[in-house]
């Protein structure tokens, strides 16, 4: 799929955690999956409310129709309109949400017009149809309200942004959050429950553990990161351990003055990724005590480097990673408690090593491979990895038909079953093909190879004679068991991969004779049906038909007798094989047919309406039938046509080769 990642570009430019997250997601989508992705950014300033509103307007007017799906994560990017818009929320404008009351709201003397606009915005939250009027009222407010109305944070800004966010949330197809902390914050999702929580991975490469020497704290030196608390804690630390502070100064020179009397504290300023990896590698512990952090990438990076993390009980997101006494220390947010935790680790390096090891195990599963399916949900096919570890096992499958393109039910089952099996073993599928098709040897999915062998002329002639003898019922599958020696290329194609196969599969029983000639590997019988029962119902009830049905039962019995495992589509089929042939129940495995969740995704009501319009359908309810040219499907369609004549108020759609049936010569209108 073509995926757009939408994000604001801060004015003035800053490259922080959000920017690294989007770049990491972009790199993963393009290098590790079969999706194609691009990062689309618009400049957004936050000097006052009106600049923020301009950002919302910019993303709302942004045309992203050339993408199949878009992902956003921060205001105002989630205002972009797209039927498949997934919001992977980092946070809202926190000064107008969870930090509004802490930072202090600003009151003012507002005019009647200001109050009327705010009342409209409050009443029409979560109503996208009011957005045009909402923007118009906000623009009028910009010109009429006092300058104080545009301040951040403030009551006017809060009402305006809450309205815009609520409209954006109402139009999203899916929502998720980077942490349970974010997912739980009051009003962030405006009445929606997030569909998932997906911790984002770090963009740092090569995190490792080397020595246990210094304390390390990482982050901007602003109030929310509480670097001051760490510095004050060092006054109570008795151990001779150095504290390294990495991160942009953020204009907070007071911290340097506060630490000036302690030679153990060093400020490193901004460091490169390579330098940061080295700092983590040699840390005794990572000290990270922000207040109400969204997620806490520093904690994750410290754990991946095999270091214990010391954090605070009110840190927010880091508490989803750090476990007290297990992967680090969780202490009260005061200098003495923090110092005591530092001294305890300094006195017992063995505890630091053990906590670091457990932390690395805890953090290892946090990766884009795990997060992305939660972000995309049913909006997109599951991301298929471009890279596979070399499979050590080998499986060979013999079929009487090519599986590509997968159109009929048997083809779809074989393609999907062995495509997924190819995640764990190399799979070679050797297919007998129509003589009019070319011979092929190609990879049809990662790890899944199809070798297509056309039937010889002599083989085809014998098959035609057999079909004629039973009233032209198709017999391609059964004929393989009778005439395979007339297509010697089929046995040759099987012999090569069978030499080192860990198992061979008879997809239907008819390849058993040729597999017995070329392979000594354990045999699996994939019983897509109970062939004896199926053929008995299809073949004509005369001597030739009955004789061929007996042949089918004989070969299926033999296949069941030698099989190490029998795979069935249903438990009923398994019970029937046990009844007919005495198959041991412990070798029967039910592998039911399913749905290709990569190709069949949920479509929103808006998408379905658009598809109906493009198909030229009117507003009548629509009934859909899909099927191949197959006896039971022909019977079903005959009944369906009669129903359609009685129900002119319903539009009936029929898809598939069943439409070739003569009964469709004169369908109802």
């Amino acid at each position: 799929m073509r995926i757009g990642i939408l994000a604001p570009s801060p004015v003035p430019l800053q490259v922080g955690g959000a920017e690294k997250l989007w770049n990491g997601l972009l790199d993963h989508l393009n290098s590790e999956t079969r999706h194609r992705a691009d990062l689309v950014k618009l400049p957004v300033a936050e000097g006052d409310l009106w600049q923020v509103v301009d950002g919302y307007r910019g993303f709302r007017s942004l045309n992203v129709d050339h993408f199949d799906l878009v992902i956003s994560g921060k205001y105002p990017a989630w205002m972009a309109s797209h039927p498949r818009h997934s919001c992977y929320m980092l946070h809202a404008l926190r000064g107008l949400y969870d930090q509004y009351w802490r930072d202090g709201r600003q009151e003012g003397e507002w005019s009647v017009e200001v109050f009327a606009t705010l009342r409209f915005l409050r009443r029409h939250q979560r109503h996208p149809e009011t957005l045009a009027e909402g923007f118009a009222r906000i623009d009028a407010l910009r010109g009429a309200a006092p300058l104080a109305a545009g301040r951040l944070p403030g009551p006017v800004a809060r009402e305006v942004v809450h309205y815009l966010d609520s409209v954006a949330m109402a139009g999203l197809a899916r929502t998720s959050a980077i942490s349970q902390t974010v997912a739980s914050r009051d009003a962030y999702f405006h009445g929606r429950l997030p569909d998932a929580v997906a911790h984002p991975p770090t963009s740092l490469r090569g995190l490792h553990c080397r020595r246990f020497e210094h304390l390390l704290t990482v982050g901007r030196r602003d109030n929310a990161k509480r670097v001051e608390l760490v510095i004050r804690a060092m006054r109570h630390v008795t151990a001779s351990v150095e504290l390294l502070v990495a991160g942009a100064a953020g204009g907070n020179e007071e911290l340097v003055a506060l630490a000036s009397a302690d030679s153990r504290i060093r400020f490193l300023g901004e460091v490169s990724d390579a330098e940061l990896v080295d700092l983590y590698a040699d840390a005794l512990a990572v000290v990270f005590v922000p207040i109400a952090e969204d997620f806490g990438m520093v904690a994750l990076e410290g754990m991946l480097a095999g270091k214990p993390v010391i954090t605070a009980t009110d840190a927010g997101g880091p508490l989803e990673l750090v476990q007290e006494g297990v992967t680090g220390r969780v202490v009260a947010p005061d200098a003495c408690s923090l110092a005591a935790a530092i001294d305890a680790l300094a006195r017992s390096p063995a505890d630091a090593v053990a906590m670091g090891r457990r932390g690395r195990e805890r953090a290892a599963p946090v990766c884009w491979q795990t997060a992305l399916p939660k972000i995309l949900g049913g909006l997109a096919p599951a991301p298929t990895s471009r890279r596979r570890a070399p499979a050590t096992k080998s499986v060979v499958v013999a079929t009487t038909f090519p599986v590509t393109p997968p159109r009929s039910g048997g083809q779809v089952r074989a393609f999907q079953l062995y495509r997924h099996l190819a995640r764990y073993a190399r799979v070679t599928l050797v297919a007998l093909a129509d003589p009019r098709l070319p011979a092929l040897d190609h990879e049809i999915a990662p790890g899944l190879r199809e070798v297509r062998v056309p039937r010889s002329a002599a083989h085809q002639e014998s098959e035609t004679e057999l079909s004629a003898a039973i009233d032209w019922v198709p017999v391609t599958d059964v004929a393989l068991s009778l005439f395979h020696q007339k297509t010697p290329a089929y046995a040759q194609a099987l012999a090569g991969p069978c030499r080192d196969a860990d198992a061979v599969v008879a997809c239907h029983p008819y390849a058993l004779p040729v597999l017995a000639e070329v392979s000594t590997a354990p045999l699996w019988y994939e019983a897509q049906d109970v062939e004896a029962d199926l053929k008995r119902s299809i073949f004509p009830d005369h001597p030739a038909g009955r004789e061929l049905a007996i042949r089918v039962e004989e070969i299926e019995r033999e296949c069941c007798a030698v099989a190490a495992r029998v795979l069935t589509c249903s438990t009923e089929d398994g019970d029937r094989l046990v009844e007919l042939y005495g198959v041991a129940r412990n070798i029967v495995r039910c592998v039911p047919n399913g749905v290709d969740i990569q190709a069949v995704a949920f479509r929103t009501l808006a998408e379905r309406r658009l598809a109906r319009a493009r198909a030229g359908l009117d507003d009548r309810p629509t009934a859909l039938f899909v099927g191949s040219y197959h006896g039971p499907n022909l019977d079903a369609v005959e009944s369906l046509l009669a129903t359609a004549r009685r129900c002119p108020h319903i539009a009936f759609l029929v898809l598939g080769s069943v439409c070739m049936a003569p009964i469709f010569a004169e369908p109802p209108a």
Side-chain angles (χ1 to χ4, degrees), residues 301-330:
E301 291 169 351
M303 294 167 72
L304 288 171
K307 306 300 177 178
V309 176
I310 303 174
T311 191
T313 53
D314 60 353
L319 302 179
E320 298 175 39
L321 300 170
V322 184
Q323 297 171 280
E324 162 61 20
V326 179
T327 61
R329 297 297 312 276
V330 180

Side-chain angles (χ1 to χ4, degrees), residues 642-655:
T643 302
R645 291 186 176 94
R646 296 194 302 270
C647 301
H649 61 287
I650 295 175
F652 290 83
L653 299 183
V654 182
L655 305 183

Side-chain angles (χ1 to χ4, degrees), residues 68-417:
D68 299 311
L69 179 148
V70 297
I71 301 171
S72 64
K74 281 191 68 177
Y75 66 92
W78 52 53
M79 183 57 87
S81 178
H82 193 283
R84 291 187 192 171
H85 187 160
S86 174
C87 173
Y88 179 41
M89 185 178 285
L90 281 66
H91 60 78
L93 205 170
R94 297 191 64 183
L96 301 178
Y97 282 88
D98 54 297
Q99 292 183 353
Y100 180 67
W101 301 106
R102 192 191 76 187
D103 293 346
R105 62 175 186 157
Q106 300 165 355
E107 298 290 359
E109 296 294 332
W110 312 124
S111 66
V112 173
E113 291 78 8
V114 171
F115 276 115
T117 298
L118 299 185
R119 185 166 57 250
F120 171 88
L121 299 179
R122 187 178 299 130
R123 288 179 175 177
H124 292 90
Q125 286 191 14
R126 300 193 293 274
H127 288 277
E129 70 277 5
T130 68
L131 184 59
E133 183 177 353
F135 270 130
R137 285 176 175 263
I138 293 168
D139 288 342
L141 194 66
R142 184 188 313 212
L147 290 177
R151 292 176 185 164
L152 292 173
V156 174
R158 188 168 189 261
E159 294 293 344
V160 168
V161 169
H162 278 225
Y163 166 76
L164 294 174
D165 285 345
S166 75
V167 168
M169 293 296 137
L172 296 171
R174 183 173 177 82
T175 57
S176 55
I178 62 170
S179 66
Q180 189 60 49
T181 300
V182 171
S184 302
R185 283 181 181 152
D186 184 42
Y188 265 29
F189 292 88
H190 290 273
R192 295 185 62 146
L193 289 176
D195 298 299
V197 169
H199 290 157
T202 178
S203 60
L204 284 183
R205 297 291 180 264
L207 286 166
H208 62 285
C209 182
R210 194 163 48 201
R211 292 181 290 272
F212 289 80
E213 296 179 344
H214 54 253
L215 301 172
L216 176 67
T217 190
V218 182
R220 299 184 311 276
R221 292 180 225 162
D222 58 26
N223 292 336
K225 301 302 180 182
R226 293 198 297 202
V227 177
E228 179 184 359
L229 175 60
V230 183
I231 293 173
R232 292 188 183 279
M234 288 297 292
R235 296 177 178 177
H236 305 279
V237 172
T238 59
S240 179
V241 60
E242 196 174 29
L243 170 67
L244 304 185
V245 182
N252 205 341
E253 288 77 14
E254 295 87 351
L255 291 177
V256 178
L258 183 65
S260 59
D262 193 333
S263 61
R264 297 173 301 172
I265 302 175
R266 283 199 292 143
F267 291 90
L268 306 179
E270 290 192 73
V271 297
S272 68
D273 285 355
E275 291 170 324
L276 184 56
V277 167
D278 286 339
L279 290 171
Y280 278 125
D282 293 336
L284 167 69
V286 173
V287 186
F288 186 56
V289 290
I291 182 169
E293 183 78 359
D294 300 315
F295 170 55
M297 193 62 73
V298 172
L300 178 67
E301 291 169 351
M303 294 167 72
L304 288 171
K307 306 300 177 178
V309 176
I310 303 174
T311 191
T313 53
D314 60 353
L319 302 179
E320 298 175 39
L321 300 170
V322 184
Q323 297 171 280
E324 162 61 20
V326 179
T327 61
R329 297 297 312 276
V330 180
V331 300
D334 63 73
C336 291
S337 299
L338 197 55
I342 292 171
D343 273 332
L345 285 176
R347 287 194 302 267
S348 180
D351 286 346
V353 172
M355 289 181 183
R357 183 178 63 252
R358 292 191 291 265
R360 186 165 53 237
E361 294 171 355
R362 170 87 169 82
V366 180
C367 59
W368 285 121
Q369 288 92 334
T370 302
L372 191 56
K374 297 178 182 179
I375 298 169
L376 300 183
L379 299 180
T384 304
S385 176
R386 292 181 183 272
R387 301 180 184 179
R388 292 180 179 272
T392 58
K393 300 290 186 181
S394 173
V395 175
V396 179
V397 183
T399 73
T400 60
F401 53 88
V403 303
T404 52
R407 290 173 176 156
S408 70
Q411 288 178 309
V412 170
R413 174 182 169 84
F415 175 69
Q416 295 296 345
L417 178 60

